[in-house]
Amino acid sequence: MSVAHADDADDYSRPTGETYHAEKALPSGDFYTGQWRDNLPHGHGKYLWTDGCMYVGEWHRGKTMGKGRFSWPSGATYEGDFKNGYMDGKGTYIDSSGDLYRGSWVMNLRHGQGTKSYVNGDCYDGEWRRGLQDGHGRYQWKNENHYIGQWKNGLMNGNGTMIWSNGNRYDGSWEDAAPKGNGTFRWADGSFYVGVWSKDPKEQNGTYYPSTSSGNFDWQPQQVFYVDLSECVVCTCQRIPVLPSQKMPVWYGSSEQSSSGNRTKNSERPRRRSVDGRVSNGEMELRNNGSGYLQCDDNSESNRSSSLGPLRIQPAKKQGQTISKGHKNYDLMLNLQLGIRHSVGRPAPATSLDLKASAFDPKEKLWTKFPSEGSKYTPPHQSVEFKWKDYCPVVFRTLRKLFSVDAADYMLSICGNDALRELSSPGKSGSFFYLTNDDRYMIKTMKKAETKVLIRMLPAYYNHVRACENTLVTKFFGLHCVKLTGTAQKKVRFVIMGNLFCTGSSIHRRFDLKGSSHGRLTTKPESEIDPNTTLKDLDLNFVFRLQKNWFQEFCRQVDRDCEFLEQERIMDYSLLVGLHFREASLKDSATPPSGARTPTGNPDSGNTRLSRAEVDRFLLDASKLASVKLGINMSARVERTVRRSDCENQLVGEPTGEFYDVILYFGIIDILQDYDISKKLEHAYKSMQYDPTSISAVDPKQYSRRFRDFIFRIFVEDT
């Protein structure tokens, strides 16, 4: 990260807004030549770094924006669209080995439609996502073998066809670059084999149909894996050594007043909003104001006020109360952990993703007795005697496999030495919620009616999450029941779900959004609202702006998920949204990014001042990019809104033009409430007292339509 002091007297003697040609030799040794305006590159220009990197193209207020060409000393080049310093849009990248990619980019990643030509003669043409082949695509090897079909994370995955140069072909399902599931292998002479495919010979099952009586009866299906596919290896993409956005210089001058006395050099820096709602001049000073709130300030006296006042961000604290010995639910926690360890650790045959209808049968459940002294199948324990029930165990074991949950990690999270944490119910259901110590899983106690709904919709739910990789609906990993023996005979049903906010980033704001207005305002006084408070529709004061590709994918997935829930007669669900303000996260960083500076004249103050480019570099590292998915770890912008004072139930406020960089987490939760008789009565009763369109309890079709209308008003494309 280079810091560009580019001030000279000529810059401040010119009228504001005048564009002229300039040549700037910078103290770092870098050199810029091209159009210049208001002490920043603006227009067409060339920037040469001391390490040999070079950019030639369009600039906008100090950032690469528009058409340009970036070259690396290794010989690699990118030519195409830039946006805010990133390779973003259409462009061509040639790496140092000669591999060429031509297609769409989003924030330095191949994303969208694109073609990759490898120097060894291989070629891929199709869809990309987050830098890897993902979606539909065609890969051709230099020996003319080719695959046409679905991809996932850079591997053949889903339905596809492999055609060999000798005329043989395989049509069917793939998983991790190998046939898995139902498929057909055909020979050029007309013979074919139909069956279920797997690398495990025990799972392989099928029938061979020769074209003549003298067919090859010695052939084994495993030859496809270890012979036919041995040369069909997909080439990997060479990593870009240094991203152009990481090379962008930080432009600023000194804070001294110019000789004219009419303006300071600071006043000509690019201005942007920071987390507290004030205007920043390209630098941010992150500090703790002494009251526990994190604020982002600039040093300009002219920017000490804001029409909306500061948006204060408190540091997030860990949720919940640890369940230790003496807690009223301590025995229940032990029972739960013993049962999970027994269920997940129990030996079971390998299962295909194609489940039989019998696996979803409501009667498909297993009871296990856990006496205190132990038994042939259960260990001794210090809790009371209880019975344990697994609902549809094969289905949930397969769901965990589908969601890539490792059995050992799953048991360690729930059943390890660390205790669970109990949360108070955030809603009106009366359910208790428990979090694992690593925050990966949330356990919710269930009413009998909710259990019946989940079991009823389980076949449709399984098919939906299998078909929609980016589904936003809650991920379910297990459904169980603990029955205490003795006179009480108490039953506790619970479901294990993924925790949407399992992230290394603190969640500074969280919203539960339904699209209704009645009762959708938090009852807490403002002084008690903290990052763990779940705010509601009428508390929402932001519009979420997503990058174009993400916005289109978001709209498609919300439509699919709502159609699924509508078909299952589900209503009263919510979109849970968590916001992590990017500027606020830097205050808690133990080691700031390279180039971080403290304010001039006070090197020991401990206040870290970071530029926008450094924020991008710190947050967009490889580990974070690898984990970006729809609804998870998504970089976005939010625009602050305000409601009109004369419209009490206005769901979406008026935009203010104040933008904040955030990381978003969101998903659809509470999907187990069907439109039963109680909800119909609630609708009839409340409709007589309130506006029928403002209440939550409405018909699933109407609920789905209203929910989508609202969500598509608060989530928009960032233009």
Side-chain angles (χ1 to χ4, degrees), residues 107-182:
M107 293 184 73
N108 296 328
L109 294 175
R110 303 169 184 87
H111 192 97
Q113 195 71 24
T115 301
K116 176 84 173 181
S117 300
Y118 299 90
V119 71
N120 70 349
D122 293 359
C123 180
Y124 171 83
D125 182 16
E127 294 177 294
W128 297 73
R129 185 172 298 164
R130 300 183 293 276
L132 297 170
Q133 298 96 327
D134 203 304
H136 189 272
R138 183 182 193 273
Y139 192 103
Q140 180 159 326
W141 285 266
K142 60 183 178 182
N143 58 10
E144 296 188 357
N145 296 344
H146 62 274
Y147 169 86
I148 304 172
Q150 296 297 313
W151 295 73
K152 181 180 177 182
N153 295 330
L155 299 173
M156 297 171 282
N157 202 303
N159 291 322
T161 299
M162 173 72 78
I163 301 176
W164 283 266
S165 57
N166 61 8
N168 297 346
R169 63 184 289 160
Y170 168 83
D171 300 91
S173 298
W174 295 74
E175 185 177 301
D176 296 336
K180 183 67 181 289
N182 295 320

Side-chain angles (χ1 to χ4, degrees), residues 396-410:
F396 284 104
R397 186 165 65 246
T398 311
L399 279 172
R400 293 194 293 270
K401 178 182 177 182
L402 188 65
F403 294 138
S404 301
V405 174
D406 180 77
D409 290 341
Y410 183 70

Side-chain angles (χ1 to χ4, degrees), residues 39-108:
N39 203 28
L40 291 169
H42 190 85
H44 192 275
K46 177 168 71 173
Y47 193 104
L48 180 64
W49 285 266
T50 54
D51 63 2
C53 291
M54 183 174 68
Y55 171 80
V56 181
E58 296 173 342
W59 295 75
H60 180 78
R61 296 201 58 78
K63 286 194 173 183
T64 53
M65 181 86 77
K67 300 289 184 183
R69 185 178 190 272
F70 193 98
S71 57
W72 288 262
S74 64
T77 61
Y78 170 84
E79 187 165 1
D81 296 330
F82 285 82
K83 183 178 179 182
N84 290 326
Y86 298 99
M87 300 181 287
D88 199 304
K90 301 290 184 182
T92 300
Y93 175 76
I94 304 175
D95 66 27
S96 57
S97 68
D99 292 351
L100 180 149
Y101 171 83
R102 180 180 287 110
S104 296
W105 296 77
V106 173
M107 293 184 73
N108 296 328

